[in-house]
């Protein structure tokens, strides 16, 4: 009876041991210090970025209220809401290196999710994406990286350029 209980764990360990012992797939000569999903030769962009930590949330509820044109409440962790559970503004911050590493993927995802995606002249690189019910802006700068997301603002959606105009104002106010 005791032997029977040990058979399943024994088989599992025998199956998993070769996978663990072999380690990850051969990197094909790539620099392992480049990190997962990062090409070793990234055109020097990552090496040019300053090694600074992730910046703090750049805005207060009062500043966000001023920029979006309607009362907003601080809901913690750089998340601002209208207090009704509808309109939301989120700012995600990251180090310059982290922002550079994920920028192309974020832009590709934005192209699939938003009606219009355009480059903007902010920081090292930036884009702005909009659709009828929301918008997103991503900027990578020497002081940090910022992803700004707006969603479900009735006033902004009522205007053809409401989200774009507001995102541009938010980008202008960032400490780049």
């Amino acid at each position: 009876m005791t032997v029977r209980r040990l058979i399943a764990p024994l088989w599992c360990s025998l199956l998993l041991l070769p996978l663990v012992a072999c380690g990850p797939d051969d990197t094909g000569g790539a620099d392992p210090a480049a990190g997962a999903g990062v090409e070793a030769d990234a055109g020097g962009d990552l090496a040019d970025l300053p090694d600074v930590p992730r910046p703090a949330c750049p805005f207060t509820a009062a500043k966000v209220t001023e920029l979006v044109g309607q009362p907003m409440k601080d809901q913690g962790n750089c998340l601002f809401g209208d207090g009704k559970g509808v309109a939301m503004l989120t700012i995600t911050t990251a180090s310059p290196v982290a922002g550079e590493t994920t920028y192309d993927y974020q832009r590709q995802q934005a192209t699939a999710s938003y009606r219009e995606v355009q480059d903007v002249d902010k920081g090292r690189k930036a884009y702005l994406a909009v659709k009828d019910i929301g918008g997103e802006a991503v900027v990578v700068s020497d002081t940090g990286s910022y992803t700004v997301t707006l969603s479900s603002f009735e006033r902004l959606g009522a205007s053809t350029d409401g989200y774009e105009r507001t995102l541009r104002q938010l980008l202008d106010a960032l400490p780049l």
Side-chain angles (χ1 to χ4, degrees), residues 2-164:
T2 306
V3 174
R4 196 180 269 177
R5 277 189 251 159
L6 297 174
I7 290 175
L10 177 64
W11 275 111
C12 288
S13 64
L14 289 174
L15 292 173
L16 294 176
L17 185 61
L19 295 174
V20 174
C22 293
D25 291 344
D26 182 24
T27 60
D31 179 9
V38 179
E39 294 181 22
D41 181 20
D45 288 344
L46 293 177
D48 293 343
L49 289 169
D51 184 21
V52 297
R54 176 178 70 94
C57 184
F59 301 130
T60 62
K63 184 66 175 175
V64 168
T65 295
E66 175 188 326
L67 291 167
V68 300
Q70 77 180 61
M72 300 296 287
K73 297 178 181 186
D74 187 343
Q75 296 180 327
N77 203 20
C78 221
L79 170 65
F80 303 92
D82 64 358
K84 301 172 191 167
V86 181
M88 307 236 357
L89 176 129
T90 306
I91 303 164
T92 305
T93 62
S95 70
V97 172
E100 179 68 36
T101 303
T102 60
Y103 180 85
D104 291 334
Y105 176 76
Q106 284 183 283
R107 195 174 195 299
Q108 178 186 9
Q109 293 300 307
T111 301
S113 301
Y114 290 91
R115 176 187 72 230
E116 180 182 341
V117 179
Q118 57 185 293
D119 293 325
V120 291
D121 189 24
K122 294 286 179 197
R124 287 180 172 255
K125 58 171 68 171
Y127 73 83
L128 187 139
V130 294
K131 59 184 175 182
D132 296 338
I133 60 169
E136 171 183 281
V138 175
V139 60
V140 177
S141 75
D142 287 344
T143 60
S145 300
Y146 302 88
T147 300
V148 180
T149 308
L150 291 168
S151 64
S152 303
F153 283 81
E154 188 176 322
R155 185 185 68 77
L156 300 180
S159 171
T160 57
D161 69 340
Y163 280 105
E164 180 180 345

